[in-house]
Amino acid sequence: MFEVIKPRLETILSTIANKMVAIGITANMVTLFGFFVNLIATFYFATGHLITGGILILFGGSFDMIDGAVARAQRSLRPSGALLDSVMDRYSEGFLFLGALIYFSGLESLLGIILAFGAWFGSILVSYVRARAEGLQITCNVGLMQRPERIILLGIGALLQGVLWYKFSIVQSTGMVLLCTLGILTLTSHITAVHRLIFSYQELGR
């Protein structure tokens, strides 16, 4: 999904990045700001303020794309910046899924807790397999559920859960929309991780 809109998005991000660089904003600043937005999103997510939480998840996720564009605009694609970005991404996702776990704990939903853990575990594996493959000199960008897709899906799921919470009692009592969202994230993340593992294994065998 992300790959389809990527060319247009890169043009927009490049324009934003050039303006940021012009006023002295660095890529590391953008990375850290996005992380703090995700921390705030986690609080709203965990406490059941899902409309606000969903908006903040999407807003915070946008900085993950902007920081790379800012680094390119600065002409400073440094390994240290890439390392900081990767680590903050993992922390951000970990906190967001913790927010989901706390939310379902409040609903006393064992299934929700399991799916929140499963989605987090899958997202970690997707990133780990890619990092391990690239450490072995394999370019591994394959798979459906990469980070942008995960963040967009989680943010939209939280928003829909928040909107429908007021209208349908079953959505309110079970967290049905988020359960479905986390179920999809769990399944597709693990499929993506296995896809990357098979792809990398085959590439190493050639």
Side-chain angles (χ1 to χ4, degrees), residues 79-113:
S80 58
L83 175 63
L84 178 66
D85 182 42
S86 295
V87 173
M88 290 299 100
D89 284 350
R90 303 292 77 73
Y91 269 115
S92 292
E93 280 195 279
F95 278 113
L96 291 175
F97 286 119
L98 174 63
L101 192 151
I102 293 171
Y103 172 77
F104 281 109
S105 295
L107 295 180
E108 299 183 350
S109 171
L110 178 60
L111 178 59
I113 292 170

Side-chain angles (χ1 to χ4, degrees), residues 22-34:
I23 61 175
I25 296 175
T26 68
N28 287 348
M29 289 179 187
V30 176
T31 297
L32 292 173
F33 182 75

Side-chain angles (χ1 to χ4, degrees), residues 177-198:
V177 177
L178 265 179
L179 279 175
C180 293
T181 300
L182 291 174
I184 293 169
L185 279 169
T186 299
L187 179 63
T188 56
S189 292
H190 285 282
I191 288 173
T192 300
V194 172
H195 183 187
R196 288 185 169 186
L197 174 61
I198 293 171

Side-chain angles (χ1 to χ4, degrees), residues 5-206:
I5 63 173
K6 189 174 180 180
R8 294 180 183 177
L9 190 58
E10 284 182 345
T11 301
I12 296 171
L13 292 177
S14 179
T15 302
I16 295 172
N18 287 330
K19 292 181 178 180
M20 285 183 166
V21 170
I23 61 175
I25 296 175
T26 68
N28 287 348
M29 289 179 187
V30 176
T31 297
L32 292 173
F33 182 75
F35 170 67
F36 285 118
V37 170
N38 281 312
L39 284 182
I40 298 169
T42 298
F43 170 78
Y44 281 102
F45 199 4
T47 54
H49 298 85
L50 297 178
I51 295 176
T52 303
I55 292 170
L56 286 173
I57 289 169
L58 296 173
F59 181 58
S62 68
F63 288 96
D64 185 42
M65 294 178 281
I66 293 173
D67 58 7
V70 171
R72 288 189 292 273
Q74 287 179 296
R75 294 179 175 82
S76 60
L77 294 171
R78 299 175 182 174
S80 58
L83 175 63
L84 178 66
D85 182 42
S86 295
V87 173
M88 290 299 100
D89 284 350
R90 303 292 77 73
Y91 269 115
S92 292
E93 280 195 279
F95 278 113
L96 291 175
F97 286 119
L98 174 63
L101 192 151
I102 293 171
Y103 172 77
F104 281 109
S105 295
L107 295 180
E108 299 183 350
S109 171
L110 178 60
L111 178 59
I113 292 170
I114 292 171
L115 289 176
F117 174 78
W120 168 77
F121 192 34
S123 71
I124 291 295
L125 282 171
V126 169
S127 301
Y128 176 77
V129 175
R130 175 178 175 175
R132 191 71 183 91
E134 290 181 348
L136 296 170
Q137 311 304 314
I138 300 295
T139 300
C140 185
N141 295 321
V142 300
L144 171 66
M145 195 55 66
Q146 301 184 54
R147 177 171 162 78
E149 287 86 353
R150 294 196 302 269
I151 295 302
I152 291 170
L153 183 57
L154 183 61
I156 291 175
L159 270 173
L160 286 176
Q161 176 68 41
V163 170
L164 297 177
W165 189 89
Y166 295 101
K167 297 183 178 181
F168 302 100
S169 59
I170 190 170
V171 173
Q172 183 181 126
S173 61
T174 64
M176 180 184 293
V177 177
L178 265 179
L179 279 175
C180 293
T181 300
L182 291 174
I184 293 169
L185 279 169
T186 299
L187 179 63
T188 56
S189 292
H190 285 282
I191 288 173
T192 300
V194 172
H195 183 187
R196 288 185 169 186
L197 174 61
I198 293 171
F199 171 82
S200 301
Y201 188 87
Q202 290 175 338
E203 288 295 305
L204 288 169
R206 292 176 180 171

